[in-house]
Amino acid sequence: GNIFLAYMGRMLAISMFLLFTRLSLLRSRSRIESAGSRESMVLYANLLFSFFTFIVLFGVSSPIFYRMFTGRELHHGPEYYNPRAIPVALAILLVMGVASIAPWRRGGFERYRRNLIVPGLAAFAALAASLLAIFVGSSLRADAASRPKDYFYLVACVVFSVFVAVLIFEQYIRAVLVAARRHGSFGLKALAAPFAENPRRYGGYVVHLGIVCIFVGVAFSSAFQAQYQESLKVGDGVKFGPYTAKLSSFGSENMDRPLQEVNDQRIWANLELFKGGHFLGVLQPMRVFYPSSPEEPSYEVAIHSSLARDFYAVLAGYDTSKGTAVLGVFVTPMVAWIWLGSVILLIGGLVTLLPVKRP
């Protein structure tokens, strides 16, 4: 903590020195002409990102100062970050979408009205569908009543994500239709034309789409992660959410030799994983013991991933003589969307580097 504090103090001093010595170079030569212009949207986004950074910085650094002045420990968990960071992140998502259609210099109501009708209707449909899913399903309704703030943030994320995604696709489709009329056909050439003619703009749209996927993945994986712990005998099967896991056998390596004579000792459980009667594969959650820390084994997590959800299994305990294992299981929805969004974001960044075709 003290090393981190010294590092942050040094970076702050250097940044402030560079800022004040070059203040004259940073003064803008033009003024923002409209609160709805793209320049304004960039300013709003920068302010929100700065506020988000301050929230994280305060959460990381305040325990250090608290320990220095009081001698007691202070830990910030989700109860500190979520109420402060999530609203700012949602505001960033919304500004990101509106900024993609904001005109430079002057932002007129007519332009926004023309470009936001379809995304607005899609966002309203997403809101209606989300509320219907919550209030019609008895399990979701009871869960929402127990943590209404989490569901409020989740629904807001879904609505804003649909709004931004539809807005991006609408702008892209319009550009494709213009290219199709120009080329006289609707084919691959028309589909690629926006990226070839303006890679920075449409590569930026791809980046925004990747960020939307990340937001959706984070929101659903945080809100609906389910945890289970079950003791199984060999041959037993237990249902974990939509999955069924059957403990088929144990396996081990070097368990009959002293730990100091081998690099490691390993023991694992073989789990046959099913979903709706469909066999998905065999998972092997494992414990590994090392001579350097025999009392603290390493837990090797077995994972089955899909676009809908991830299944994580941990070998929490075992008794090979009785043929039993204690399994810790996590079923987390839409984690793959975070990775998918990261890949899309990377692709969009590469697209923006493409050279622009000049007529």
Side-chain angles (χ1 to χ4, degrees):
N2 294 332
I3 295 175
F4 174 76
L5 187 63
Y7 169 78
M8 294 299 297
R10 180 178 298 179
M11 293 300 297
L12 179 62
I14 294 174
S15 300
M16 295 304 292
F17 171 77
L18 294 174
L19 175 66
F20 284 109
T21 54
R22 290 161 172 78
L23 198 58
S24 60
L25 301 176
L26 298 176
R27 288 195 179 94
S28 176
R29 298 179 182 178
S30 59
R31 300 181 63 180
I32 294 178
E33 301 181 20
S34 171
S37 65
R38 185 167 296 190
E39 294 91 340
S40 296
M41 295 298 165
V42 173
L43 175 61
Y44 302 151
N46 286 336
L47 291 174
L48 288 169
F49 273 116
S50 299
F51 188 40
F52 191 93
T53 303
F54 175 77
I55 292 171
V56 176
L57 178 62
F58 183 83
V60 172
S61 61
S62 58
I64 302 174
F65 290 103
Y66 188 82
R67 185 179 68 247
M68 289 174 58
F69 290 107
T70 66
R72 298 192 297 271
E73 295 294 331
L74 174 67
H75 299 284
H76 287 312
E79 69 282 351
Y80 164 79
Y81 290 101
N82 288 348
R84 296 166 178 82
I86 292 178
V88 179
L90 291 175
I92 291 173
L93 179 62
L94 182 61
V95 170
M96 180 188 73
V98 176
S100 62
I101 61 164
W104 293 106
R105 298 183 63 183
R106 298 185 182 275
F109 173 76
E110 181 62 27
R111 179 181 177 90
Y112 283 115
R113 186 186 64 81
R114 187 174 64 253
N115 287 280
L116 295 181
I117 292 177
V118 175
L121 292 175
F124 181 79
L127 175 62
S130 299
L131 295 178
L132 186 65
I134 292 172
F135 290 108
V136 169
S138 58
S139 59
L140 280 181
R141 184 168 64 249
D143 193 29
S146 65
R147 47 190 185 118
K149 187 178 292 186
D150 292 345
Y151 272 79
F152 173 80
Y153 289 145
L154 178 64
V155 171
C157 181
V158 170
V159 171
F160 290 171
S161 297
V162 169
F163 173 81
V164 175
V166 172
L167 191 152
I168 290 171
F169 280 112
E170 183 187 26
Q171 297 300 308
Y172 171 67
I173 291 172
R174 287 182 178 181
V176 168
L177 293 176
V178 171
R181 286 195 297 267
R182 187 170 62 247
H183 295 293
S185 63
F186 188 85
L188 291 177
K189 194 171 184 180
L191 294 174
F195 299 103
E197 295 168 3
N198 196 342
R200 289 186 179 180
R201 179 179 181 180
Y202 291 95
Y205 284 166
V206 175
V207 169
H208 289 176
L209 193 62
I211 294 173
V212 168
C213 290
I214 293 172
F215 266 82
V216 172
V218 170
F220 277 88
S221 62
S222 301
F224 294 118
Q225 184 185 72
Q227 302 180 23
Y228 307 89
Q229 184 164 305
E230 292 287 345
S231 178
L232 300 178
K233 291 183 178 180
V234 172
D236 286 350
V238 177
K239 192 171 179 61
F240 300 108
Y243 298 96
T244 300
K246 179 182 177 182
L247 179 62
S248 59
S249 64
F250 281 106
S252 62
E253 183 179 276
N254 298 327
M255 297 300 292
D256 56 342
R257 300 177 59 186
L259 183 58
Q260 300 301 324
E261 296 181 3
V262 294
N263 290 328
D264 57 55
Q265 293 177 336
R266 298 170 180 262
I267 185 166
W268 58 85
N270 291 317
L271 293 178
E272 296 178 357
L273 189 64
F274 301 85
K275 182 181 178 184
H278 178 65
F279 178 67
L280 300 178
V282 177
L283 303 183
Q284 289 187 340
M286 184 183 303
R287 272 199 190 187
V288 184
F289 298 85
Y290 295 100
S292 57
S293 55
E295 303 299 325
E296 298 180 0
S298 172
Y299 291 83
E300 301 289 339
V301 181
I303 302 174
H304 178 271
S305 295
S306 68
L307 199 59
R309 60 181 60 86
D310 282 10
F311 180 95
Y312 306 87
V314 180
L315 183 60
Y318 61 90
D319 188 335
T320 53
S321 62
K322 297 180 179 179
T324 60
V326 178
L327 295 177
V329 172
F330 300 84
V331 179
T332 310
M334 300 181 73
V335 175
W337 284 59
I338 301 175
W339 299 106
L340 176 64
S342 301
V343 173
I344 294 174
L345 191 151
L346 175 62
I347 293 172
L350 295 175
V351 169
T352 62
L353 300 178
L354 294 175
V356 180
K357 286 188 176 182
R358 301 296 181 185

